Amino acid sequence: MTKQIYRLRQSTRPAPTAGEPTSGPLTAEELQLAARNHSMPLEALRQDVTPPGLHYVLTHFDIPDADAASWHLLIGGAVERAQELSLAALKKDPAITVPVTLECAGNGRSLLTPRPLSQPWVLEAVGTAEWTGVPLAYLLGKAGVLAEAVEVVFTGADAGIQGGVRQRYARSLPIREAMRPDVVLAYQMNGNDLPPQHGYPLRLVVPGWYGMTSVKWLESIDVVTSPFMGFQQHMAYRYQDTADDVGTPVSRIRIRSLMVPPGIPDFFTRKRVLPHGPVMLQGRAWSGEGAVTGVEVGIDGKWLRAQLEKPAGPFAWCKWTLPWVADPGEHELACRATDATGAVQPLEQNWNYQGIGNNMVHRVSVTVE
Amino acid sequence: MTKQIYRLRQSTRPAPTAGEPTSGPLTAEELQLAARNHSMPLEALRQDVTPPGLHYVLTHFDIPDADAASWHLLIGGAVERAQELSLAALKKDPAITVPVTLECAGNGRSLLTPRPLSQPWVLEAVGTAEWTGVPLAYLLGKAGVLAEAVEVVFTGADAGIQGGVRQRYARSLPIREAMRPDVVLAYQMNGNDLPPQHGYPLRLVVPGWYGMTSVKWLESIDVVTSPFMGFQQHMAYRYQDTADDVGTPVSRIRIRSLMVPPGIPDFFTRKRVLPHGPVMLQGRAWSGEGAVTGVEVGIDGKWLRAQLEKPAGPFAWCKWTLPWVADPGEHELACRATDATGAVQPLEQNWNYQGIGNNMVHRVSVTVE
């Protein structure tokens, strides 16, 4: 009943996507987004930590031209003591470093049929970095969150138009998530100042959640007493069946694994060729919902249990390996991970209207010589 | 006559591209390449120096998993004293730092009709970095180039298949270019170790030439006494009219300018909106053939001379600015640069079979409110 009323109220709601999903060819707009944003070449799965330029980046609008000297963070709303902090002041607060795997909620979207019209990721919109900064809970503690607060809203400096709505990029977190000790306001990535495209001078990093939550170019934090209804929270990033479905919000990263494609590639097709004999298959697995408990590697449809290494932290990917003796011929390799909640990657993708939360098994065809 | 004989000899030559140019939709293979490689968001034109992750990257094959400790550079062929150098040894040699604008020879390819099948760049395959390392001429001097030498061949660690040819990425330079004092074997980009995707631990940087010349993950330098006939020299990176045309080799970067799109973007279409009133239009211009001597900015078809700033070096882009008072309505902005050779950017693109050397005028449509 509530949902019905809600839908009526939403009859003039802006479009969450750029049009109905299509089975047609890739559009010029999608190519333009693919050229602007970038994913992580799968061979970078070899490394624990992903450097800038290999770590995926999605920028909804433009990368702001930030001036760290004049930049300030405002913390206000339902707090006892509003704060205005310079970067220098923030850097004097206690700092933590958290290794975090971030993945775009739309990773894999271009493989869906029909294909939602947005950033056309293939499979590689992921990366793991060490984020250093001040725990959000520490700053919220200093500000004093009032009892009636329900969410914390994070607003970046990046401005633009989406779904016909003019906006600055903004997302919210429930209070209980915002008070987690590992949620960080980061001013360093992998030990250096944030690169411009990763949110310089300051960004939020929420371990375990899809990347849309980790607001970049952070300028203000507002503690609010009713749920945030901004475009990126209420229209975008929802699991919907249709445009009219209010859907459910996207939050934690679903279990996924990817493989370093073995052998050498063809430039254009990326098809792989490798010599026969022993080869160590390897990749990474991660989940925002619980620890990775297993990875199976499929070789021509037969699933074998891979060896897991301990991850660098509870929200960092873990390495998996499986030795294989490759016979000459055509083979299909695959990987499929399971997490502590029992969630396992699906063999076929579950379609949804925005193309979100795709975590289908990764398959790699190889020719062994 | 020579050309005729040459063509006959080439009847079994491998295909330079992945198929005949097409007017059809973007293929899954092209999208895959667009997802792997990345260009520079145009707002990064604001900065003199482009950081990793914003600087464009094209990797033909996979990014090698380099181990700097065991890595060695071999210098051999037609030299008096072959050399084998560790990275530590190289770092003891005299070093220079050169600011260089690099651009992919295929930049703009996706805008051609019909469209050559390769990396589908839009407009942003460019970047400017400060490259630090040992002058190539210094090392060639130590090795002692023999009088009969004609070219120097550079081979990277990256291996794969292209046009049906198994290869390691390799390119050559004529001796006179190799002996230029500003050609550098770089181990740093912008003051830090090279990132993996930019050639760690060592790459060649040839100022003024399109990026394909600046071989990454450099492992060997061979001085040769006849022209190098490797795939990336002799098949790829040639100005051809048809697949059968032997064509002419691609070398120096053609005059080009790009503009920071003013205002704010729509997420999907990237269409720009800005308020009426004064706005400073800005961008960068560069040429590998001679200094940039002028940039004109087109406003609704009327060309105005922009102000140029002095570039950081002879092969670094120069900033241009033009103040504009924006009237409400729809406008088309453009920029067009000229270099010291008199070359000027064309209004319409010159098509060629591989989609190389595109330097058409950049146009940006804006809505002024």
Side-chain angles (χ1 to χ4, degrees):
Chain A
M1 189 61 189
T2 313
K3 197 170 178 187
Q4 188 59 32
I5 290 166
Y6 194 80
R7 281 197 182 177
L8 288 173
R9 199 189 294 152
Q10 289 301 320
S11 58
T12 57
R13 66 206 297 259
T17 68
E20 284 301 305
T22 177
S23 298
L26 205 85
T27 64
E29 287 82 3
E30 289 169 287
L31 175 60
Q32 206 166 224
L33 284 172
R36 267 190 67 76
N37 297 301
H38 72 254
S39 51
M40 186 195 76
L42 291 177
E43 60 269 33
L45 289 166
R46 288 197 199 97
Q47 271 72 46
D48 285 333
V49 171
T50 318
L54 293 180
H55 194 293
Y56 98 90
V57 177
L58 178 74
T59 305
H60 280 246
F61 306 122
D62 285 359
I63 298 167
D65 189 19
D67 172 24
S70 63
W71 175 92
H72 278 74
L73 175 68
L74 301 173
I75 305 179
V79 295
E80 287 166 17
R81 295 165 295 277
Q83 313 271 315
E84 182 169 351
L85 296 160
S86 69
L87 193 61
L90 265 175
K91 286 185 174 176
K92 287 180 191 145
D93 282 329
I96 57 171
T97 296
V98 193
V100 180
T101 297
L102 287 178
E103 181 180 3
C104 185
N107 195 16
R109 180 183 287 121
S110 78
L111 305 175
L112 298 178
T113 307
R115 186 181 75 256
L117 287 170
S118 184
Q119 165 70 31
W121 294 123
V122 185
L123 280 174
E124 309 97 326
V126 66
T128 298
E130 291 172 343
W131 302 100
T132 300
V134 185
L136 173 62
Y138 172 84
L139 291 172
L140 290 177
K142 282 217 297 193
V145 173
L146 299 181
E148 60 265 39
V150 296
E151 286 186 359
V152 184
V153 179
F154 304 88
T155 305
D158 44 331
I161 298 164
Q162 190 173 346
V165 179
R166 188 174 295 225
Q167 57 190 275
R168 285 169 68 204
Y169 188 88
R171 288 274 311 177
S172 71
L173 270 182
I175 290 286
R176 71 173 182 286
E177 292 287 328
M179 296 306 286
R180 281 169 46 192
D182 54 359
V183 171
V184 63
L185 299 181
Y187 47 76
Q188 286 191 342
M189 176 188 187
N190 302 344
N192 296 305
D193 285 352
L194 295 183
Q197 71 274 21
H198 285 288
Y200 180 84
L202 191 80
R203 71 174 297 171
L204 178 65
V205 176
V206 182
W209 286 51
Y210 280 116
M212 77 281 162
T213 313
S214 294
V215 176
K216 298 191 287 268
W217 311 293
L218 188 63
E219 288 196 336
S220 69
I221 297 177
D222 292 293
V223 179
V224 293
T225 56
S226 60
F228 177 57
M229 298 290 274
F231 182 91
Q232 302 295 343
Q233 193 78 25
H234 195 60
M235 306 298 156
Y237 296 113
R238 296 184 83 87
Y239 292 111
Q240 294 176 288
D241 292 331
T242 65
D244 293 330
D245 180 11
V246 169
T248 57
V250 173
S251 58
R252 285 176 178 266
I253 300 174
R254 291 176 168 174
I255 178 73
R256 185 171 221 152
S257 60
L258 290 170
M259 181 185 302
V260 178
I264 58 169
D266 177 82
F267 166 65
F268 189 65
T269 63
R270 310 312 293 177
K271 282 185 184 152
R272 314 295 304 190
V273 175
L274 64 158
H276 69 89
V279 53
M280 185 63 86
L281 300 178
Q282 61 167 295
R284 303 271 169 173
W286 61 93
S287 168
E289 296 178 326
V292 174
T293 53
V295 172
E296 294 167 289
V297 176
I299 297 173
D300 300 323
K302 186 179 169 197
W303 295 94
L304 301 164
R305 197 153 185 89
Q307 181 81 30
L308 291 187
E309 291 185 12
K310 197 170 143 50
F315 295 106
W317 55 23
C318 66
K319 185 174 179 177
W320 59 260
T321 53
L322 184 88
W324 176 43
V325 181
D327 293 326
E330 303 295 315
H331 297 282
E332 192 198 61
L333 310 177
C335 55
R336 177 171 69 175
T338 305
D339 71 21
T341 71
V344 58
Q345 291 180 258
L347 294 172
E348 303 292 335
Q349 190 47 43
N350 294 316
W351 188 91
N352 60 70
Y353 186 77
Q354 294 189 25
I356 295 281
N358 180 316
N359 66 335
M360 185 173 56
V361 159
H362 180 203
R363 295 177 192 280
V364 179
S365 294
V366 300
T367 300
V368 177
E369 296 183 327
Chain B
M1 191 59 189
T2 311
K3 197 170 179 188
Q4 188 60 32
I5 292 167
Y6 194 81
R7 282 198 182 178
L8 288 174
R9 199 191 292 154
Q10 291 300 321
S11 58
T12 58
R13 65 206 297 260
T17 67
E20 283 302 305
T22 177
S23 297
L26 204 86
T27 65
E29 288 82 3
E30 288 170 288
L31 175 60
Q32 207 166 224
L33 284 172
R36 267 190 68 75
N37 298 301
H38 72 252
S39 51
M40 187 196 74
L42 291 177
E43 61 268 32
L45 289 165
R46 288 197 199 98
Q47 271 72 47
D48 285 334
V49 170
T50 317
L54 293 180
H55 195 292
Y56 98 91
V57 177
L58 179 76
T59 307
H60 280 245
F61 307 122
D62 286 359
I63 298 167
D65 189 19
D67 171 23
S70 63
W71 175 93
H72 277 75
L73 175 69
L74 302 173
I75 305 180
V79 294
E80 285 167 16
R81 296 166 294 276
Q83 312 272 315
E84 182 171 350
L85 296 161
S86 69
L87 193 61
L90 265 175
K91 287 185 174 177
K92 288 181 191 144
D93 282 329
I96 57 170
T97 296
V98 193
V100 180
T101 297
L102 287 178
E103 182 180 3
C104 185
N107 196 14
R109 180 183 287 121
S110 77
L111 305 175
L112 298 178
T113 307
R115 186 182 74 255
L117 287 170
S118 184
Q119 166 71 30
W121 294 123
V122 185
L123 279 174
E124 309 97 325
V126 65
T128 298
E130 290 172 344
W131 302 99
T132 299
V134 185
L136 173 63
Y138 172 84
L139 291 172
L140 291 177
K142 283 215 299 192
V145 173
L146 299 180
E148 59 267 39
V150 296
E151 287 185 358
V152 183
V153 179
F154 304 88
T155 304
D158 44 332
I161 299 164
Q162 190 173 346
V165 179
R166 189 173 295 226
Q167 57 191 276
R168 284 169 68 203
Y169 188 88
R171 290 273 311 177
S172 71
L173 270 182
I175 290 286
R176 71 175 180 287
E177 292 286 329
M179 296 307 283
R180 281 169 45 191
D182 54 0
V183 172
V184 62
L185 299 181
Y187 46 75
Q188 287 191 340
M189 176 189 187
N190 302 344
N192 296 305
D193 284 354
L194 295 182
Q197 70 274 21
H198 285 288
Y200 181 84
L202 191 80
R203 70 175 298 171
L204 177 65
V205 176
V206 182
W209 286 52
Y210 281 116
M212 76 283 163
T213 314
S214 292
V215 176
K216 297 191 287 269
W217 311 293
L218 188 64
E219 289 196 337
S220 70
I221 297 177
D222 292 292
V223 179
V224 294
T225 56
S226 60
F228 176 58
M229 299 290 273
F231 182 90
Q232 302 295 343
Q233 193 78 26
H234 195 59
M235 304 300 156
Y237 296 112
R238 298 183 82 86
Y239 292 111
Q240 293 176 288
D241 292 330
T242 65
D244 294 330
D245 180 12
V246 169
T248 57
V250 173
S251 59
R252 285 176 178 264
I253 300 175
R254 290 176 170 174
I255 179 73
R256 185 171 220 153
S257 60
L258 290 171
M259 180 185 304
V260 178
I264 58 169
D266 177 83
F267 166 65
F268 190 65
T269 63
R270 310 313 293 177
K271 281 186 185 150
R272 315 295 304 191
V273 175
L274 64 156
H276 68 90
V279 53
M280 185 64 88
L281 300 177
Q282 62 168 294
R284 303 273 169 172
W286 62 93
S287 168
E289 296 179 326
V292 174
T293 53
V295 172
E296 294 166 289
V297 176
I299 297 175
D300 300 322
K302 185 179 169 195
W303 294 95
L304 301 165
R305 198 153 183 87
Q307 181 81 29
L308 292 186
E309 291 184 13
K310 198 170 143 51
F315 295 107
W317 56 23
C318 66
K319 185 175 180 177
W320 60 260
T321 53
L322 184 87
W324 177 42
V325 181
D327 293 326
E330 303 295 316
H331 298 282
E332 193 198 60
L333 310 176
C335 54
R336 178 170 67 176
T338 304
D339 72 21
T341 71
V344 59
Q345 290 181 257
L347 294 173
E348 304 290 335
Q349 190 47 42
N350 293 317
W351 188 91
N352 60 71
Y353 185 77
Q354 294 189 26
I356 295 281
N358 179 316
N359 66 335
M360 186 174 55
V361 159
H362 179 204
R363 296 178 194 279
V364 179
S365 295
V366 299
T367 300
V368 177
E369 295 181 328

